[in-house]
Amino acid sequence: MTTALPTTDDVQALHQFIQDRTEEEWKHASAAEDLPDSHFDTIRRLSNSNKLALTGTTAYLLDTLKRGDNEQAARVWDYLTSCGEQWQEHSAWKTAWANPARAALRHP
């Protein structure tokens, strides 16, 4: 299965989409009144860690595209689209961000 290479606009748009969704979920989770403070700290650490990983992955993908390393760029795009698939039901999700391997699992 061949993964199509994204444009830099595709990469940046998917990055922003995922960031927006994590912000929405953070706001929802942090609004809960029945969670102890230790749970908020855990959620915050996970959220910050995920944002850093997402930003690092995106920066690396943009760099591989710029260097013309198509094989590595396709591999990293596969990881990033796998992450974005978590929100495929969201109205702002684009079919250009579909992950072929995950789609094959959903629709054998």
Side-chain angles (χ1 to χ4, degrees):
M1 178 179 322
T2 303
T3 301
L5 289 177
T7 65
T8 56
D9 288 343
D10 291 335
V11 173
Q12 292 167 336
L14 179 55
H15 174 265
Q16 190 60 54
F17 172 80
I18 296 169
Q19 287 281 73
D20 291 348
R21 301 299 71 78
T22 57
E23 286 295 325
E24 287 172 1
E25 291 188 6
W26 166 248
K27 287 177 186 174
H28 177 73
S30 63
E33 296 178 10
D34 56 345
L35 289 177
D37 287 342
S38 62
H39 284 84
F40 285 121
D41 290 341
T42 300
I43 291 170
R44 181 185 47 76
R45 280 191 301 273
L46 287 169
S47 177
N48 288 342
S49 176
N50 289 341
K51 287 177 189 176
L52 287 170
L54 173 64
T55 299
T57 301
T58 300
Y60 180 67
L61 177 52
L62 291 170
D63 183 59
T64 59
L65 287 169
K66 186 165 76 172
R67 288 186 286 116
D69 186 347
N70 294 347
E71 183 178 333
Q72 187 65 12
R75 186 176 297 119
V76 178
W77 181 242
D78 181 63
Y79 295 144
L80 193 60
T81 57
S82 290
C83 182
E85 287 265 333
Q86 307 305 311
W87 294 283
Q88 72 170 16
E89 300 301 322
H90 193 279
S91 62
W93 188 82
K94 297 179 180 180
T95 57
W97 302 333
N99 182 289
R102 285 186 169 242
L105 292 174
R106 281 193 310 276
H107 309 288

